[in-house]
Amino acid sequence: MNVEPSAPSRSLAPGAERIFGAGEMPDRIRACDWSLTPLGPIASWPNALVIAVNAVLANQHPIFLFWGQDLIQLYNDAAVPNIGPDLHPAALGQPARAFWADVWPIVGPPAEAALRGQSGWNQDQLVPILRHGRVEDAWFTYSHSPVRDEQGTICGVLVTALETTPRVLAERALRYERERLLAVFQQAPAFFALLKGPQHVFDMVNPQFTRLTEGRNVLGRSIREAFPEAVEQGFVDLLDRVYQTGSPFVGRDVRFTLRDEAHAPDERRVDFVYQPLREPDGSVSGILVFGVDLTGRREAETMLREQRERFDFATDAAQIGYWFCDLPFDKLIWDARVKEHFWLPPDAEVSIQTFYDILHPEDRERVHLAIEDSIRNRTRYEVEYRTVSPEGEQKLIHAIGRTAYDAEGRPLRFDGVTQDITALRQAQDARSRAEEALMRSEKLALVGRLAATISHEINNPLEAITNLLYLVQESAVTETVRDYTRTAQQELARVSHIVTHTLRFNRQTNTATVERLSDILDSAVAIYEARLRHSEIQLTRDYADAARLLCFGAELRQVFANLIANSFDATKRGGRLILRTREQTNWKTGEPGLRVTVADTGTGMDAATLRHLYEPFFTTKGDNGTGLGLWVSREILTKHHASIRVKSRKAPAPKGTVFSVWLPLGPGSRQCVEGELPSGD
């Protein structure tokens, strides 16, 4: 039965003299009409209940008393803030199960256990309660213990409850601030380390510090243990001085040489600060090391300039021009090469109308629709069109572009490149005519192979250069830019290699090098990663190849790039591309080797296609394919004494294709495990 306790007054219920003490809750208990509750009048309360109530009221700790099987609730003055003004004083005399129904699944089980004689303890327990007109999260540390009468019978439950909400929230805030600070340090471009105690033991470092120190394992070790060379170079003396005096030290363009048995001496140049860390009493407990690695700055600037020069040389050799325009098409900026593609002098002013006027009349509407579609659908603009000179001469131009958008999705710029492919298309047409004659006579002349191979091999690097142009323009001067530039350099080296060795295709004299296949795979897939993301194709790398392979890395990169390109072409939006490496022994011969798997969830191939897969000029891509990629790839793999297998399925699901390449580990490769090279290398 519910009872609404009256406000404290001088009118006392019978037996009120059994309740002792002064305060709000003693007064309310003495004034309450307990005859309306299962407990009955105070005069009839058993001695055990009276003793328990008086003990609760006299205690300065927040305490609740749940009495009887109905768990009728009583509490002291210290418990009132825990209940809050929304529930107090209505909580007095109420059955605990009903009154605390919303949180009984949390606080009830320990209370029920106490009725069975089991004591309990809960620390920092979250208990949402109604206070101040809203439900708020509150945390309590509380215990439950049984209350017994003179015969030892359990009559009730004693609950001590201390609210810990302020401490819990403060600890959470402190932990959040610490995690946020650590995240900032972990992501900072500068190196960072935290040294604890007078021995300067490494307590924390960020990735930049690990890279600076060539991956040394330093956590939990003193600086003397982790960097013995730091002692002789005076850095430990500096740390000792900062720790003893509490004065920071700032170093500018300081030289530091790393020396260990695994690496040759490596001189670094750094700006850094040793900042003492103080405890509340003012004592120094550690040192924060914070700085910037200056070593590669000048080398990077020189390399960037050289790469830019090589890049300009490559684009000039490939006859590639740049165009830029702000949207809407207010102003067009063409370089001299694009103007040449449009039969214009280098100093000519251009507009969007100039662009359309010089296009072949039959191409204008198609190009206009391609531009609108690219901007509207955020797709790559790629189109071929003809430009016409005043004298009626024509050039065939291949254009690639992309739109940049602001944060709200509004198109800002429409930029790209053009390439004159007139001669290339003429060569392709001529090759096709020659190919038909050769196929009819069932003779694949060496000249035809060379012409088709050159066409195919030049196309791939040019496409890579086109992709890298966009990446370089959009990237800052970071490690990523350097990676892209190195990739561009490798692709250009491939072009040079093809041109130089055209007449000696089957007699290349490249020197073999020791390579890790997963590194070759990464460099092969790098130029496709942006397109994969744009097509929402999930790329999965599953590498497990510790051994290194003595091989012609550029040629294997060509093989894997071809397999990856084929998988990309066959995979629909939202599909998967999986790259996997494994060390695997040939079960027939026992020869150790490495297996590379390129798998996709694309359209798959039927049995008829698989039978002709490695034949020259056989393609499933129509006009977009030469039919030489897999033929050339098998030639390269044969040179490496490797084998290639394929499994494919069109329907029913799952569909897709898996290419598996096994390469033997030759004498020069077998001992090339992590960090080792063959003797003499």
Side-chain angles (χ1 to χ4, degrees):
M1 179 182 298
N2 294 335
V3 60
E4 179 68 29
S6 60
S9 68
R10 297 182 180 276
S11 175
L12 301 178
E17 68 279 0
R18 304 180 70 188
I19 304 302
F20 298 97
E24 178 186 355
M25 292 314 298
D27 289 344
R28 289 190 180 278
I29 292 174
R30 284 191 288 261
C32 182
D33 186 358
W34 293 99
S35 64
L36 301 177
T37 74
L39 296 185
I42 297 177
S44 64
W45 286 3
N47 289 336
L49 174 57
V50 174
I51 293 172
V53 169
N54 282 319
V56 168
L57 294 175
N59 202 301
Q60 300 301 307
H61 196 86
I63 299 178
F64 294 83
L65 177 63
F66 301 153
W67 192 261
Q69 291 302 313
D70 294 325
L71 297 180
I72 301 302
Q73 180 172 253
L74 302 99
Y75 52 93
N76 61 5
D77 286 350
V80 170
N82 289 354
I83 299 174
D86 300 279
L87 301 179
H88 171 75
L92 184 63
Q94 301 298 319
R97 294 186 185 90
F99 191 80
W100 299 106
D102 291 343
V103 295
W104 195 250
I106 300 174
V107 301
E112 303 288 358
L115 285 177
R116 299 191 297 272
Q118 301 173 9
S119 298
W121 169 267
N122 293 275
Q123 186 169 0
D124 294 334
Q125 174 67 56
L126 173 62
V127 183
I129 61 175
L130 176 65
R131 292 194 301 199
H132 311 297
R134 60 185 177 87
V135 176
E136 59 183 36
D137 288 344
W139 285 264
F140 295 89
T141 294
Y142 58 91
S143 66
H144 292 75
S145 57
V147 179
R148 302 177 185 271
D149 62 11
E150 296 89 339
Q151 288 75 38
T153 302
I154 296 176
C155 303
V157 178
L158 189 69
V159 181
T160 61
L162 177 64
E163 182 170 2
T164 58
T165 302
R167 178 178 58 78
V168 169
L169 294 179
E171 290 178 353
R172 282 190 174 185
L174 182 62
R175 185 167 57 253
Y176 170 77
E177 289 299 324
R178 176 179 172 83
E179 291 173 352
R180 188 172 66 171
L181 180 61
L182 289 177
V184 170
F185 280 125
Q186 292 296 325
Q187 299 170 16
F191 63 81
F192 154 82
L194 183 62
L195 307 177
K196 303 292 287 186
Q199 299 303 315
H200 318 303
V201 175
F202 284 94
D203 186 58
M204 186 184 307
V205 298
N206 70 344
Q208 292 290 352
F209 185 89
T210 303
R211 282 192 285 271
L212 173 72
T213 58
E214 299 179 344
R216 289 198 191 183
N217 183 16
V218 301
L219 292 179
R221 304 173 66 191
S222 70
I223 191 168
R224 290 177 174 85
E225 296 170 332
F227 298 99
E229 61 268 48
V231 178
E232 62 186 66
Q233 296 177 52
F235 290 94
V236 175
D237 290 340
L238 284 176
L239 288 169
D240 289 340
R241 187 191 314 164
V242 171
Y243 192 90
Q244 294 164 4
T245 65
S247 299
F249 176 84
V250 177
R252 300 290 186 187
D253 197 18
V254 178
R255 296 182 181 180
F256 174 60
T257 303
L258 289 169
R259 298 193 188 96
D260 60 33
E261 297 178 356
H263 300 86
D266 183 14
E267 184 179 277
R268 319 295 295 178
R269 302 181 74 93
V270 295
D271 285 348
F272 69 95
V273 59
Y274 289 160
Q275 179 65 44
L277 301 176
R278 297 183 181 275
E279 295 298 310
D281 62 1
S283 62
V284 176
S285 60
I287 296 175
L288 173 68
V289 181
F290 194 85
V292 178
D293 184 6
L294 306 176
T295 309
R297 180 177 297 175
R298 183 172 298 176
E299 291 86 345
E301 292 173 353
T302 302
M303 180 180 295
L304 184 61
R305 184 175 61 255
E306 292 176 353
Q307 296 298 336
R308 179 63 188 180
E309 292 172 355
R310 294 183 180 183
F311 188 78
D312 291 341
F313 173 80
T315 56
D316 182 68
Q319 300 291 294
I320 292 175
Y322 306 89
W323 48 267
F324 311 95
C325 57
D326 295 331
L327 295 177
F329 292 98
D330 296 332
K331 182 180 181 181
L332 302 186
I333 300 175
W334 292 358
D335 72 354
R337 183 72 65 189
V338 176
K339 293 178 181 178
E340 178 185 328
H341 294 164
F342 279 75
W343 310 93
L344 295 172
D347 58 350
E349 294 291 330
V350 293
S351 66
I352 192 65
Q353 190 60 47
T354 307
F355 171 73
Y356 284 115
D357 287 345
I358 301 176
L359 288 184
H360 193 287
E362 295 177 0
D363 296 341
R364 290 170 186 167
E365 181 62 21
R366 177 173 55 86
V367 173
H368 177 72
L369 292 176
I371 292 174
E372 288 189 339
D373 181 73
S374 173
I375 296 173
R376 180 175 59 254
N377 298 322
R378 295 180 176 237
T379 56
R380 189 170 75 158
Y381 165 74
E382 184 168 6
V383 67
E384 292 181 4
Y385 49 73
R386 293 163 291 176
T387 61
V388 183
S389 73
E391 293 76 23
E393 296 182 77
Q394 294 184 14
K395 292 179 181 177
L396 182 61
I397 306 300
H398 183 206
I400 298 176
R402 190 182 296 273
T403 307
Y405 303 84
D406 63 15
E408 287 71 35
R410 293 186 295 267
L412 296 177
R413 299 183 309 278
F414 189 63
D415 305 333
V417 297
T418 61
Q419 181 187 18
D420 184 352
I421 60 172
T422 308
L424 180 61
R425 181 57 54 83
Q426 292 171 350
Q428 289 175 339
D429 292 342
R431 184 205 67 198
S432 296
R433 292 189 295 270
E435 178 185 327
E436 292 174 2
L438 289 172
M439 294 298 289
R440 281 194 303 269
S441 63
E442 298 183 351
K443 294 180 181 179
L444 191 61
L446 179 59
V447 174
R449 286 189 180 183
L450 288 176
T453 302
I454 292 171
S455 174
H456 177 78
E457 293 301 316
I458 288 180
N459 255 340
N460 281 345
L462 290 182
E463 182 180 358
I465 292 171
T466 302
N467 289 329
L468 290 169
L469 289 174
Y470 174 75
L471 295 173
V472 170
Q473 289 173 342
E474 294 297 318
S475 300
V477 182
T478 63
E479 185 61 27
T480 303
V481 173
R482 290 190 287 273
D483 288 341
Y484 290 146
T485 309
R486 283 193 291 269
T487 304
Q489 183 181 4
Q490 293 169 358
E491 295 296 339
L492 294 178
R494 288 180 56 200
V495 176
S496 175
H497 175 79
I498 291 167
V499 174
T500 303
H501 298 279
T502 296
L503 300 180
R504 295 180 290 135
F505 174 76
N506 290 315
R507 297 184 290 109
Q508 289 97 333
T509 59
N510 291 18
T511 302
T513 58
V514 176
E515 304 272 0
R516 183 177 284 108
L517 285 184
S518 54
D519 293 339
I520 297 177
L521 273 172
D522 278 339
S523 66
V525 79
I527 62 176
Y528 296 98
E529 289 195 68
R531 297 169 64 187
L532 291 170
R533 289 194 299 271
H534 180 73
S535 299
E536 299 178 353
I537 295 175
Q538 178 185 350
L539 174 62
T540 300
R541 293 179 174 91
D542 181 11
Y543 299 154
D545 55 318
R548 298 182 183 178
L549 180 71
L550 185 64
C551 64
F552 298 93
E555 297 181 4
L556 288 184
R557 186 177 298 108
Q558 174 184 340
V559 173
F560 298 144
N562 182 71
L563 296 179
I564 292 168
N566 289 344
S567 291
F568 173 80
D569 291 339
T571 303
K572 303 297 183 183
R573 180 176 292 273
R576 293 186 65 198
L577 172 60
I578 301 170
L579 307 180
R580 180 178 293 120
T581 62
R582 292 291 187 272
E583 297 184 16
Q584 188 178 84
T585 301
N586 188 317
W587 65 273
K588 291 183 179 179
T589 65
E591 184 178 14
L594 297 170
R595 183 167 296 281
V596 176
T597 303
V598 179
D600 64 66
T601 59
T603 55
M605 297 177 284
D606 56 25
T609 301
L610 291 173
R611 282 195 297 270
H612 301 283
L613 201 57
Y614 301 101
E615 295 178 6
F617 308 120
F618 176 80
T619 179
T620 61
K621 301 178 183 178
D623 293 338
N624 294 323
T626 65
L628 292 168
L630 289 176
W631 176 70
V632 172
S633 295
R634 191 167 65 171
E635 293 283 329
I636 293 173
L637 293 175
T638 299
K639 177 180 178 179
H640 286 79
H641 306 287
S643 61
I644 182 169
R645 299 175 61 189
V646 60
K647 293 182 180 180
S648 190
R649 184 173 183 178
K650 287 184 72 68
K655 299 184 297 184
T657 301
V658 179
F659 277 93
S660 179
V661 176
W662 186 84
L663 299 105
L665 282 169
S669 306
R670 193 167 300 156
Q671 53 186 303
C672 297
V673 296
E674 185 70 23
E676 299 180 353
L677 292 173
S679 177
D681 281 8

